[in-house]
Structures are given as C-alpha cells and as structure tokens.
Amino acid sequence: MKDNLGYVHVYCGDGKGKTTTAMGLCTRAAGYGYKVLIYQFMKNNKTSERNVLQQFPNITFVNGLEQEKFSFQMTLSEKLERKTYYEKQFRKITAKAAQEDYDLLFFDELIYTIRAGLFDEQILLDYLKKEKPEHLEVILTGQQPSDELVELADYVSEIRKIKHPFDQGLPARPGIEK
C-alpha cells in the first residue's frame, strides 16, 4: 500500500485555498486508510477544520500555541522565541512521524513561517533531502516558496488570488476563511 508514497507537495500563492486543498488531501488519504499527521504553524488550536478532522481515528493534530499573532505584530524578542519554538516543534513532529510510521505529514503555513524569518529553511531542506522516511508523503503550504524548495518538490500548485472580499475590508469569516 505504501509503495506509491514519498512525494513532496507544495501548495503556494496569494489566493485562498492552500490549507483547504491540503486538508482535502489529508481527508482523502485518511479515507484510504493512511495515517495522517498535521501541524499548523502560525495558527492556534481552534481552526474549524480541526473540529471535523480530529474525529477521524487515523488523523492526528499536534497542538501548537493557544495564542498566535501575525509575524508583523511580533516584537524582535517574540520572533526569536517563536523561531526556537517552531524549530523544536518541527524536530519533534518529524521524529513522531518516523517513529509512529505515519504515511502523510502536513505542515500548514511552514512556507509562510520561513518567509517571516520564524523558521530556518535549511532545516526543512535537509530533512526533505536526507532524513524524511522514504514512504512519507509531505505537504507544505504558504506563500513564496524558495526556488530550491520548488525544485525539490514533486508537486507544486500555485493558487492565485484574482479577487477576495478581504480587499474590501471583510475580515476572515468563521467556517469560510478560518
């Protein structure tokens, strides 16, 4: 069953739907019987998709911080603390994925976290090149992946915003954008 696994997916762009797309793939994989591990960078533990997906016995969410804020709202000290925290979380989660033989690992907004200076991209690149279990499928989301990450990935899909209500001042709506 796992012979076909081991690819790296990148869902990027400025459009709405990167996380939604990846969560759909997680749902599909779980429906097939794969073990799925999910961690959401830069988001608290209250995202709407968790309410449904954590009911699946083969989908596991790793909790992050209870309170999150955008990187532009953080002080330099908070950014340094967050960077240390996220890099430790990454190592803990990748170890869990290997030790517990997960089939799919989804790091939501890791690419954004890298762009915000809150995660060292080299840690991710080294993991994907040298440490990732051969059969582990990995999904990454966020804006502006590096050329090296795009080259390394097997799937790269860009979701482009043409129009969004946020442009007219409408905040993220529960159940739709968050």
Side-chain angles (χ1 to χ4, degrees), residues 85-120:
Y85 173 78
Y86 283 146
E87 290 172 357
K88 283 181 183 176
Q89 281 289 88
F90 180 87
R91 288 183 176 94
K92 180 178 95 174
I93 293 162
T94 54
K96 178 180 179 69
Q99 291 163 0
E100 297 179 24
D101 199 30
Y102 277 87
D103 302 303
L104 189 147
L105 173 58
F106 172 29
F107 282 123
D108 188 23
E109 295 293 359
L110 179 52
I111 298 168
Y112 169 81
T113 306
I114 291 167
R115 292 292 141 251
L118 302 175
F119 189 91
D120 182 353

PDB file of all heavy atoms in Angstrom, residues 85-120:
ATOM      1  N   TYR A  85      10.938  27.931  19.136  1.00  0.00           N
ATOM      2  CA  TYR A  85       9.794  27.046  19.384  1.00  0.00           C
ATOM      3  C   TYR A  85       9.435  26.248  18.131  1.00  0.00           C
ATOM      4  O   TYR A  85       9.275  25.029  18.189  1.00  0.00           O
ATOM      5  CB  TYR A  85       8.597  27.876  19.869  1.00  0.00           C
ATOM      6  CG  TYR A  85       7.323  27.074  19.986  1.00  0.00           C
ATOM      7  CD1 TYR A  85       7.118  26.234  21.072  1.00  0.00           C
ATOM      8  CD2 TYR A  85       6.341  27.147  18.996  1.00  0.00           C
ATOM      9  CE1 TYR A  85       5.958  25.478  21.177  1.00  0.00           C
ATOM     10  CE2 TYR A  85       5.183  26.398  19.099  1.00  0.00           C
ATOM     11  CZ  TYR A  85       4.990  25.566  20.186  1.00  0.00           C
ATOM     12  OH  TYR A  85       3.845  24.814  20.278  1.00  0.00           O
ATOM     13  N   TYR A  86       9.297  26.932  17.011  1.00  0.00           N
ATOM     14  CA  TYR A  86       8.889  26.244  15.773  1.00  0.00           C
ATOM     15  C   TYR A  86       9.918  25.217  15.317  1.00  0.00           C
ATOM     16  O   TYR A  86       9.560  24.142  14.836  1.00  0.00           O
ATOM     17  CB  TYR A  86       8.640  27.251  14.659  1.00  0.00           C
ATOM     18  CG  TYR A  86       7.328  27.987  14.770  1.00  0.00           C
ATOM     19  CD1 TYR A  86       7.229  29.303  14.354  1.00  0.00           C
ATOM     20  CD2 TYR A  86       6.183  27.380  15.275  1.00  0.00           C
ATOM     21  CE1 TYR A  86       6.029  29.997  14.436  1.00  0.00           C
ATOM     22  CE2 TYR A  86       4.987  28.059  15.365  1.00  0.00           C
ATOM     23  CZ  TYR A  86       4.916  29.364  14.951  1.00  0.00           C
ATOM     24  OH  TYR A  86       3.729  30.047  15.027  1.00  0.00           O
ATOM     25  N   GLU A  87      11.188  25.543  15.459  1.00  0.00           N
ATOM     26  CA  GLU A  87      12.216  24.592  15.031  1.00  0.00           C
ATOM     27  C   GLU A  87      12.219  23.357  15.932  1.00  0.00           C
ATOM     28  O   GLU A  87      12.396  22.232  15.452  1.00  0.00           O
ATOM     29  CB  GLU A  87      13.577  25.285  14.964  1.00  0.00           C
ATOM     30  CG  GLU A  87      13.612  26.272  13.800  1.00  0.00           C
ATOM     31  CD  GLU A  87      14.845  27.159  13.728  1.00  0.00           C
ATOM     32  OE1 GLU A  87      15.705  27.074  14.642  1.00  0.00           O
ATOM     33  OE2 GLU A  87      14.940  27.943  12.761  1.00  0.00           O
ATOM     34  N   LYS A  88      11.964  23.533  17.228  1.00  0.00           N
ATOM     35  CA  LYS A  88      11.837  22.384  18.143  1.00  0.00           C
ATOM     36  C   LYS A  88      10.589  21.567  17.800  1.00  0.00           C
ATOM     37  O   LYS A  88      10.624  20.332  17.793  1.00  0.00           O
ATOM     38  CB  LYS A  88      11.763  22.852  19.599  1.00  0.00           C
ATOM     39  CG  LYS A  88      13.089  23.263  20.169  1.00  0.00           C
ATOM     40  CD  LYS A  88      12.942  23.686  21.625  1.00  0.00           C
ATOM     41  CE  LYS A  88      14.254  24.180  22.182  1.00  0.00           C
ATOM     42  NZ  LYS A  88      14.122  24.675  23.565  1.00  0.00           N
ATOM     43  N   GLN A  89       9.491  22.249  17.516  1.00  0.00           N
ATOM     44  CA  GLN A  89       8.259  21.552  17.137  1.00  0.00           C
ATOM     45  C   GLN A  89       8.481  20.710  15.875  1.00  0.00           C
ATOM     46  O   GLN A  89       8.042  19.573  15.791  1.00  0.00           O
ATOM     47  CB  GLN A  89       7.123  22.558  16.890  1.00  0.00           C
ATOM     48  CG  GLN A  89       6.468  23.097  18.126  1.00  0.00           C
ATOM     49  CD  GLN A  89       5.624  22.067  18.832  1.00  0.00           C
ATOM     50  OE1 GLN A  89       6.111  21.309  19.667  1.00  0.00           O
ATOM     51  NE2 GLN A  89       4.356  22.019  18.506  1.00  0.00           N
ATOM     52  N   PHE A  90       9.149  21.299  14.896  1.00  0.00           N
ATOM     53  CA  PHE A  90       9.424  20.592  13.645  1.00  0.00           C
ATOM     54  C   PHE A  90      10.190  19.296  13.919  1.00  0.00           C
ATOM     55  O   PHE A  90       9.827  18.227  13.412  1.00  0.00           O
ATOM     56  CB  PHE A  90      10.218  21.493  12.694  1.00  0.00           C
ATOM     57  CG  PHE A  90      10.549  20.843  11.383  1.00  0.00           C
ATOM     58  CD1 PHE A  90       9.648  20.907  10.325  1.00  0.00           C
ATOM     59  CD2 PHE A  90      11.757  20.178  11.197  1.00  0.00           C
ATOM     60  CE1 PHE A  90       9.948  20.300   9.108  1.00  0.00           C
ATOM     61  CE2 PHE A  90      12.064  19.579   9.982  1.00  0.00           C
ATOM     62  CZ  PHE A  90      11.158  19.640   8.942  1.00  0.00           C
ATOM     63  N   ARG A  91      11.222  19.385  14.719  1.00  0.00           N
ATOM     64  CA  ARG A  91      12.031  18.192  15.017  1.00  0.00           C
ATOM     65  C   ARG A  91      11.219  17.153  15.782  1.00  0.00           C
ATOM     66  O   ARG A  91      11.332  15.947  15.529  1.00  0.00           O
ATOM     67  CB  ARG A  91      13.287  18.602  15.782  1.00  0.00           C
ATOM     68  CG  ARG A  91      14.279  19.329  14.887  1.00  0.00           C
ATOM     69  CD  ARG A  91      15.575  19.671  15.619  1.00  0.00           C
ATOM     70  NE  ARG A  91      16.535  20.267  14.712  1.00  0.00           N
ATOM     71  CZ  ARG A  91      16.698  21.574  14.532  1.00  0.00           C
ATOM     72  NH1 ARG A  91      15.954  22.432  15.202  1.00  0.00           N
ATOM     73  NH2 ARG A  91      17.606  22.039  13.694  1.00  0.00           N
ATOM     74  N   LYS A  92      10.399  17.622  16.715  1.00  0.00           N
ATOM     75  CA  LYS A  92       9.558  16.705  17.491  1.00  0.00           C
ATOM     76  C   LYS A  92       8.544  16.006  16.578  1.00  0.00           C
ATOM     77  O   LYS A  92       8.343  14.791  16.670  1.00  0.00           O
ATOM     78  CB  LYS A  92       8.837  17.499  18.591  1.00  0.00           C
ATOM     79  CG  LYS A  92       7.925  16.677  19.472  1.00  0.00           C
ATOM     80  CD  LYS A  92       7.290  17.529  20.549  1.00  0.00           C
ATOM     81  CE  LYS A  92       5.942  17.983  20.061  1.00  0.00           C
ATOM     82  NZ  LYS A  92       5.147  18.708  21.052  1.00  0.00           N
ATOM     83  N   ILE A  93       7.944  16.755  15.690  1.00  0.00           N
ATOM     84  CA  ILE A  93       6.895  16.206  14.823  1.00  0.00           C
ATOM     85  C   ILE A  93       7.486  15.267  13.774  1.00  0.00           C
ATOM     86  O   ILE A  93       6.922  14.202  13.501  1.00  0.00           O
ATOM     87  CB  ILE A  93       6.090  17.353  14.179  1.00  0.00           C
ATOM     88  CG1 ILE A  93       5.310  18.090  15.272  1.00  0.00           C
ATOM     89  CG2 ILE A  93       5.159  16.835  13.087  1.00  0.00           C
ATOM     90  CD1 ILE A  93       4.831  19.464  14.881  1.00  0.00           C
ATOM     91  N   THR A  94       8.620  15.635  13.187  1.00  0.00           N
ATOM     92  CA  THR A  94       9.223  14.737  12.190  1.00  0.00           C
ATOM     93  C   THR A  94       9.684  13.435  12.854  1.00  0.00           C
ATOM     94  O   THR A  94       9.579  12.363  12.248  1.00  0.00           O
ATOM     95  CB  THR A  94      10.377  15.417  11.433  1.00  0.00           C
ATOM     96  OG1 THR A  94      11.333  15.936  12.360  1.00  0.00           O
ATOM     97  CG2 THR A  94       9.853  16.529  10.534  1.00  0.00           C
ATOM     98  N   ALA A  95      10.166  13.508  14.080  1.00  0.00           N
ATOM     99  CA  ALA A  95      10.541  12.290  14.803  1.00  0.00           C
ATOM    100  C   ALA A  95       9.311  11.428  15.062  1.00  0.00           C
ATOM    101  O   ALA A  95       9.354  10.208  14.883  1.00  0.00           O
ATOM    102  CB  ALA A  95      11.234  12.646  16.119  1.00  0.00           C
ATOM    103  N   LYS A  96       8.219  12.054  15.454  1.00  0.00           N
ATOM    104  CA  LYS A  96       6.966  11.324  15.693  1.00  0.00           C
ATOM    105  C   LYS A  96       6.488  10.644  14.413  1.00  0.00           C
ATOM    106  O   LYS A  96       6.074   9.484  14.432  1.00  0.00           O
ATOM    107  CB  LYS A  96       5.900  12.292  16.212  1.00  0.00           C
ATOM    108  CG  LYS A  96       4.528  11.683  16.450  1.00  0.00           C
ATOM    109  CD  LYS A  96       3.551  12.740  16.952  1.00  0.00           C
ATOM    110  CE  LYS A  96       2.160  12.203  17.195  1.00  0.00           C
ATOM    111  NZ  LYS A  96       2.072  11.283  18.333  1.00  0.00           N
ATOM    112  N   ALA A  97       6.562  11.362  13.298  1.00  0.00           N
ATOM    113  CA  ALA A  97       6.116  10.791  12.019  1.00  0.00           C
ATOM    114  C   ALA A  97       6.902   9.537  11.680  1.00  0.00           C
ATOM    115  O   ALA A  97       6.332   8.547  11.206  1.00  0.00           O
ATOM    116  CB  ALA A  97       6.253  11.832  10.910  1.00  0.00           C
ATOM    117  N   ALA A  98       8.199   9.560  11.931  1.00  0.00           N
ATOM    118  CA  ALA A  98       9.042   8.398  11.627  1.00  0.00           C
ATOM    119  C   ALA A  98       8.810   7.271  12.634  1.00  0.00           C
ATOM    120  O   ALA A  98       8.605   6.116  12.241  1.00  0.00           O
ATOM    121  CB  ALA A  98      10.509   8.812  11.619  1.00  0.00           C
ATOM    122  N   GLN A  99       8.818   7.606  13.920  1.00  0.00           N
ATOM    123  CA  GLN A  99       8.699   6.583  14.970  1.00  0.00           C
ATOM    124  C   GLN A  99       7.349   5.879  14.942  1.00  0.00           C
ATOM    125  O   GLN A  99       7.263   4.685  15.233  1.00  0.00           O
ATOM    126  CB  GLN A  99       8.934   7.211  16.344  1.00  0.00           C
ATOM    127  CG  GLN A  99      10.351   7.655  16.566  1.00  0.00           C
ATOM    128  CD  GLN A  99      10.503   8.630  17.724  1.00  0.00           C
ATOM    129  OE1 GLN A  99       9.541   9.007  18.389  1.00  0.00           O
ATOM    130  NE2 GLN A  99      11.727   9.073  17.953  1.00  0.00           N
ATOM    131  N   GLU A 100       6.307   6.622  14.602  1.00  0.00           N
ATOM    132  CA  GLU A 100       4.957   6.046  14.637  1.00  0.00           C
ATOM    133  C   GLU A 100       4.464   5.658  13.245  1.00  0.00           C
ATOM    134  O   GLU A 100       3.287   5.370  13.070  1.00  0.00           O
ATOM    135  CB  GLU A 100       4.010   7.016  15.336  1.00  0.00           C
ATOM    136  CG  GLU A 100       4.420   7.245  16.790  1.00  0.00           C
ATOM    137  CD  GLU A 100       3.521   8.229  17.525  1.00  0.00           C
ATOM    138  OE1 GLU A 100       2.345   8.407  17.115  1.00  0.00           O
ATOM    139  OE2 GLU A 100       4.005   8.826  18.512  1.00  0.00           O
ATOM    140  N   ASP A 101       5.352   5.666  12.279  1.00  0.00           N
ATOM    141  CA  ASP A 101       5.089   5.182  10.927  1.00  0.00           C
ATOM    142  C   ASP A 101       3.876   5.848  10.265  1.00  0.00           C
ATOM    143  O   ASP A 101       2.976   5.191   9.752  1.00  0.00           O
ATOM    144  CB  ASP A 101       4.921   3.659  10.929  1.00  0.00           C
ATOM    145  CG  ASP A 101       5.106   3.060   9.553  1.00  0.00           C
ATOM    146  OD1 ASP A 101       5.872   3.635   8.750  1.00  0.00           O
ATOM    147  OD2 ASP A 101       4.473   2.024   9.270  1.00  0.00           O
ATOM    148  N   TYR A 102       3.885   7.184  10.265  1.00  0.00           N
ATOM    149  CA  TYR A 102       2.832   7.918   9.563  1.00  0.00           C
ATOM    150  C   TYR A 102       3.065   7.827   8.055  1.00  0.00           C
ATOM    151  O   TYR A 102       4.188   7.647   7.599  1.00  0.00           O
ATOM    152  CB  TYR A 102       2.802   9.389  10.017  1.00  0.00           C
ATOM    153  CG  TYR A 102       2.028   9.578  11.290  1.00  0.00           C
ATOM    154  CD1 TYR A 102       2.648   9.434  12.526  1.00  0.00           C
ATOM    155  CD2 TYR A 102       0.668   9.862  11.263  1.00  0.00           C
ATOM    156  CE1 TYR A 102       1.935   9.579  13.698  1.00  0.00           C
ATOM    157  CE2 TYR A 102      -0.052  10.005  12.432  1.00  0.00           C
ATOM    158  CZ  TYR A 102       0.585   9.868  13.657  1.00  0.00           C
ATOM    159  OH  TYR A 102      -0.136  10.005  14.814  1.00  0.00           O
ATOM    160  N   ASP A 103       1.984   7.976   7.318  1.00  0.00           N
ATOM    161  CA  ASP A 103       2.043   7.917   5.854  1.00  0.00           C
ATOM    162  C   ASP A 103       2.077   9.299   5.225  1.00  0.00           C
ATOM    163  O   ASP A 103       2.651   9.481   4.153  1.00  0.00           O
ATOM    164  CB  ASP A 103       0.818   7.157   5.312  1.00  0.00           C
ATOM    165  CG  ASP A 103       0.724   5.760   5.877  1.00  0.00           C
ATOM    166  OD1 ASP A 103       1.693   4.996   5.718  1.00  0.00           O
ATOM    167  OD2 ASP A 103      -0.314   5.436   6.493  1.00  0.00           O
ATOM    168  N   LEU A 104       1.431  10.271   5.872  1.00  0.00           N
ATOM    169  CA  LEU A 104       1.337  11.621   5.327  1.00  0.00           C
ATOM    170  C   LEU A 104       1.564  12.628   6.445  1.00  0.00           C
ATOM    171  O   LEU A 104       0.990  12.490   7.527  1.00  0.00           O
ATOM    172  CB  LEU A 104      -0.047  11.828   4.699  1.00  0.00           C
ATOM    173  CG  LEU A 104      -0.224  13.114   3.888  1.00  0.00           C
ATOM    174  CD1 LEU A 104      -1.191  12.865   2.736  1.00  0.00           C
ATOM    175  CD2 LEU A 104      -0.718  14.241   4.739  1.00  0.00           C
ATOM    176  N   LEU A 105       2.410  13.604   6.174  1.00  0.00           N
ATOM    177  CA  LEU A 105       2.725  14.655   7.132  1.00  0.00           C
ATOM    178  C   LEU A 105       2.424  15.996   6.472  1.00  0.00           C
ATOM    179  O   LEU A 105       2.958  16.301   5.410  1.00  0.00           O
ATOM    180  CB  LEU A 105       4.218  14.576   7.505  1.00  0.00           C
ATOM    181  CG  LEU A 105       4.795  15.688   8.373  1.00  0.00           C
ATOM    182  CD1 LEU A 105       4.052  15.802   9.705  1.00  0.00           C
ATOM    183  CD2 LEU A 105       6.286  15.441   8.601  1.00  0.00           C
ATOM    184  N   PHE A 106       1.566  16.781   7.107  1.00  0.00           N
ATOM    185  CA  PHE A 106       1.172  18.089   6.574  1.00  0.00           C
ATOM    186  C   PHE A 106       1.645  19.174   7.518  1.00  0.00           C
ATOM    187  O   PHE A 106       1.247  19.221   8.681  1.00  0.00           O
ATOM    188  CB  PHE A 106      -0.350  18.138   6.393  1.00  0.00           C
ATOM    189  CG  PHE A 106      -0.910  19.492   6.036  1.00  0.00           C
ATOM    190  CD1 PHE A 106      -0.179  20.437   5.336  1.00  0.00           C
ATOM    191  CD2 PHE A 106      -2.207  19.814   6.386  1.00  0.00           C
ATOM    192  CE1 PHE A 106      -0.710  21.683   5.004  1.00  0.00           C
ATOM    193  CE2 PHE A 106      -2.764  21.046   6.058  1.00  0.00           C
ATOM    194  CZ  PHE A 106      -2.008  21.982   5.374  1.00  0.00           C
ATOM    195  N   PHE A 107       2.524  20.055   6.998  1.00  0.00           N
ATOM    196  CA  PHE A 107       2.967  21.240   7.727  1.00  0.00           C
ATOM    197  C   PHE A 107       2.291  22.452   7.101  1.00  0.00           C
ATOM    198  O   PHE A 107       2.739  22.984   6.092  1.00  0.00           O
ATOM    199  CB  PHE A 107       4.491  21.406   7.643  1.00  0.00           C
ATOM    200  CG  PHE A 107       5.263  20.505   8.562  1.00  0.00           C
ATOM    201  CD1 PHE A 107       6.219  19.640   8.063  1.00  0.00           C
ATOM    202  CD2 PHE A 107       5.053  20.537   9.937  1.00  0.00           C
ATOM    203  CE1 PHE A 107       6.958  18.824   8.904  1.00  0.00           C
ATOM    204  CE2 PHE A 107       5.779  19.718  10.792  1.00  0.00           C
ATOM    205  CZ  PHE A 107       6.729  18.859  10.272  1.00  0.00           C
ATOM    206  N   ASP A 108       1.206  22.894   7.717  1.00  0.00           N
ATOM    207  CA  ASP A 108       0.442  24.036   7.229  1.00  0.00           C
ATOM    208  C   ASP A 108       1.187  25.332   7.550  1.00  0.00           C
ATOM    209  O   ASP A 108       1.640  25.531   8.680  1.00  0.00           O
ATOM    210  CB  ASP A 108      -0.935  24.035   7.897  1.00  0.00           C
ATOM    211  CG  ASP A 108      -1.890  25.055   7.325  1.00  0.00           C
ATOM    212  OD1 ASP A 108      -1.711  25.475   6.161  1.00  0.00           O
ATOM    213  OD2 ASP A 108      -2.854  25.415   8.038  1.00  0.00           O
ATOM    214  N   GLU A 109       1.312  26.193   6.572  1.00  0.00           N
ATOM    215  CA  GLU A 109       1.934  27.521   6.688  1.00  0.00           C
ATOM    216  C   GLU A 109       3.418  27.499   7.040  1.00  0.00           C
ATOM    217  O   GLU A 109       3.965  28.524   7.469  1.00  0.00           O
ATOM    218  CB  GLU A 109       1.174  28.416   7.686  1.00  0.00           C
ATOM    219  CG  GLU A 109      -0.238  28.761   7.264  1.00  0.00           C
ATOM    220  CD  GLU A 109      -0.333  29.649   6.025  1.00  0.00           C
ATOM    221  OE1 GLU A 109       0.698  30.041   5.450  1.00  0.00           O
ATOM    222  OE2 GLU A 109      -1.461  29.954   5.629  1.00  0.00           O
ATOM    223  N   LEU A 110       4.089  26.378   6.827  1.00  0.00           N
ATOM    224  CA  LEU A 110       5.525  26.357   7.087  1.00  0.00           C
ATOM    225  C   LEU A 110       6.269  27.282   6.125  1.00  0.00           C
ATOM    226  O   LEU A 110       7.223  27.960   6.518  1.00  0.00           O
ATOM    227  CB  LEU A 110       6.087  24.932   6.998  1.00  0.00           C
ATOM    228  CG  LEU A 110       7.597  24.797   7.235  1.00  0.00           C
ATOM    229  CD1 LEU A 110       8.035  25.466   8.532  1.00  0.00           C
ATOM    230  CD2 LEU A 110       8.000  23.341   7.218  1.00  0.00           C
ATOM    231  N   ILE A 111       5.828  27.353   4.891  1.00  0.00           N
ATOM    232  CA  ILE A 111       6.488  28.232   3.919  1.00  0.00           C
ATOM    233  C   ILE A 111       6.341  29.697   4.343  1.00  0.00           C
ATOM    234  O   ILE A 111       7.298  30.474   4.280  1.00  0.00           O
ATOM    235  CB  ILE A 111       5.956  27.986   2.494  1.00  0.00           C
ATOM    236  CG1 ILE A 111       6.267  26.541   2.076  1.00  0.00           C
ATOM    237  CG2 ILE A 111       6.559  28.971   1.504  1.00  0.00           C
ATOM    238  CD1 ILE A 111       5.544  26.087   0.812  1.00  0.00           C
ATOM    239  N   TYR A 112       5.163  30.071   4.807  1.00  0.00           N
ATOM    240  CA  TYR A 112       4.960  31.435   5.332  1.00  0.00           C
ATOM    241  C   TYR A 112       5.885  31.686   6.517  1.00  0.00           C
ATOM    242  O   TYR A 112       6.495  32.750   6.644  1.00  0.00           O
ATOM    243  CB  TYR A 112       3.500  31.642   5.746  1.00  0.00           C
ATOM    244  CG  TYR A 112       3.284  32.913   6.539  1.00  0.00           C
ATOM    245  CD1 TYR A 112       3.165  34.145   5.901  1.00  0.00           C
ATOM    246  CD2 TYR A 112       3.244  32.896   7.925  1.00  0.00           C
ATOM    247  CE1 TYR A 112       2.991  35.324   6.624  1.00  0.00           C
ATOM    248  CE2 TYR A 112       3.070  34.059   8.660  1.00  0.00           C
ATOM    249  CZ  TYR A 112       2.950  35.268   8.003  1.00  0.00           C
ATOM    250  OH  TYR A 112       2.799  36.421   8.722  1.00  0.00           O
ATOM    251  N   THR A 113       5.993  30.696   7.395  1.00  0.00           N
ATOM    252  CA  THR A 113       6.815  30.823   8.593  1.00  0.00           C
ATOM    253  C   THR A 113       8.282  31.048   8.213  1.00  0.00           C
ATOM    254  O   THR A 113       8.971  31.860   8.840  1.00  0.00           O
ATOM    255  CB  THR A 113       6.648  29.564   9.468  1.00  0.00           C
ATOM    256  OG1 THR A 113       5.250  29.372   9.714  1.00  0.00           O
ATOM    257  CG2 THR A 113       7.350  29.704  10.795  1.00  0.00           C
ATOM    258  N   ILE A 114       8.736  30.365   7.177  1.00  0.00           N
ATOM    259  CA  ILE A 114      10.100  30.563   6.670  1.00  0.00           C
ATOM    260  C   ILE A 114      10.258  31.991   6.155  1.00  0.00           C
ATOM    261  O   ILE A 114      11.219  32.692   6.496  1.00  0.00           O
ATOM    262  CB  ILE A 114      10.415  29.536   5.564  1.00  0.00           C
ATOM    263  CG1 ILE A 114      10.530  28.128   6.157  1.00  0.00           C
ATOM    264  CG2 ILE A 114      11.687  29.928   4.811  1.00  0.00           C
ATOM    265  CD1 ILE A 114      10.522  27.015   5.127  1.00  0.00           C
ATOM    266  N   ARG A 115       9.309  32.441   5.326  1.00  0.00           N
ATOM    267  CA  ARG A 115       9.387  33.792   4.743  1.00  0.00           C
ATOM    268  C   ARG A 115       9.362  34.875   5.811  1.00  0.00           C
ATOM    269  O   ARG A 115       9.925  35.944   5.633  1.00  0.00           O
ATOM    270  CB  ARG A 115       8.219  34.035   3.772  1.00  0.00           C
ATOM    271  CG  ARG A 115       8.256  33.236   2.532  1.00  0.00           C
ATOM    272  CD  ARG A 115       9.416  33.634   1.602  1.00  0.00           C
ATOM    273  NE  ARG A 115       9.962  32.430   1.017  1.00  0.00           N
ATOM    274  CZ  ARG A 115      11.150  31.886   1.293  1.00  0.00           C
ATOM    275  NH1 ARG A 115      11.967  32.440   2.126  1.00  0.00           N
ATOM    276  NH2 ARG A 115      11.550  30.777   0.743  1.00  0.00           N
ATOM    277  N   ALA A 116       8.698  34.589   6.943  1.00  0.00           N
ATOM    278  CA  ALA A 116       8.602  35.565   8.034  1.00  0.00           C
ATOM    279  C   ALA A 116       9.842  35.549   8.928  1.00  0.00           C
ATOM    280  O   ALA A 116       9.915  36.311   9.888  1.00  0.00           O
ATOM    281  CB  ALA A 116       7.344  35.286   8.868  1.00  0.00           C
ATOM    282  N   GLY A 117      10.804  34.683   8.633  1.00  0.00           N
ATOM    283  CA  GLY A 117      12.020  34.602   9.429  1.00  0.00           C
ATOM    284  C   GLY A 117      11.844  33.853  10.735  1.00  0.00           C
ATOM    285  O   GLY A 117      12.660  33.988  11.649  1.00  0.00           O
ATOM    286  N   LEU A 118      10.800  33.035  10.812  1.00  0.00           N
ATOM    287  CA  LEU A 118      10.491  32.320  12.049  1.00  0.00           C
ATOM    288  C   LEU A 118      10.870  30.843  11.983  1.00  0.00           C
ATOM    289  O   LEU A 118      10.529  30.056  12.873  1.00  0.00           O
ATOM    290  CB  LEU A 118       9.001  32.460  12.377  1.00  0.00           C
ATOM    291  CG  LEU A 118       8.504  33.897  12.523  1.00  0.00           C
ATOM    292  CD1 LEU A 118       7.005  33.932  12.729  1.00  0.00           C
ATOM    293  CD2 LEU A 118       9.237  34.606  13.651  1.00  0.00           C
ATOM    294  N   PHE A 119      11.547  30.447  10.913  1.00  0.00           N
ATOM    295  CA  PHE A 119      11.993  29.063  10.748  1.00  0.00           C
ATOM    296  C   PHE A 119      13.130  29.063   9.735  1.00  0.00           C
ATOM    297  O   PHE A 119      13.035  29.732   8.692  1.00  0.00           O
ATOM    298  CB  PHE A 119      10.839  28.179  10.250  1.00  0.00           C
ATOM    299  CG  PHE A 119      11.154  26.715  10.248  1.00  0.00           C
ATOM    300  CD1 PHE A 119      10.880  25.937  11.354  1.00  0.00           C
ATOM    301  CD2 PHE A 119      11.739  26.108   9.139  1.00  0.00           C
ATOM    302  CE1 PHE A 119      11.181  24.582  11.369  1.00  0.00           C
ATOM    303  CE2 PHE A 119      12.046  24.762   9.139  1.00  0.00           C
ATOM    304  CZ  PHE A 119      11.763  23.990  10.258  1.00  0.00           C
ATOM    305  N   ASP A 120      14.182  28.334  10.018  1.00  0.00           N
ATOM    306  CA  ASP A 120      15.331  28.249   9.122  1.00  0.00           C
ATOM    307  C   ASP A 120      15.020  27.246   8.010  1.00  0.00           C
ATOM    308  O   ASP A 120      14.881  26.051   8.278  1.00  0.00           O
ATOM    309  CB  ASP A 120      16.564  27.816   9.915  1.00  0.00           C
ATOM    310  CG  ASP A 120      17.825  27.735   9.074  1.00  0.00           C
ATOM    311  OD1 ASP A 120      17.756  27.875   7.830  1.00  0.00           O
ATOM    312  OD2 ASP A 120      18.894  27.517   9.665  1.00  0.00           O
TER     313      ASP A 120
END
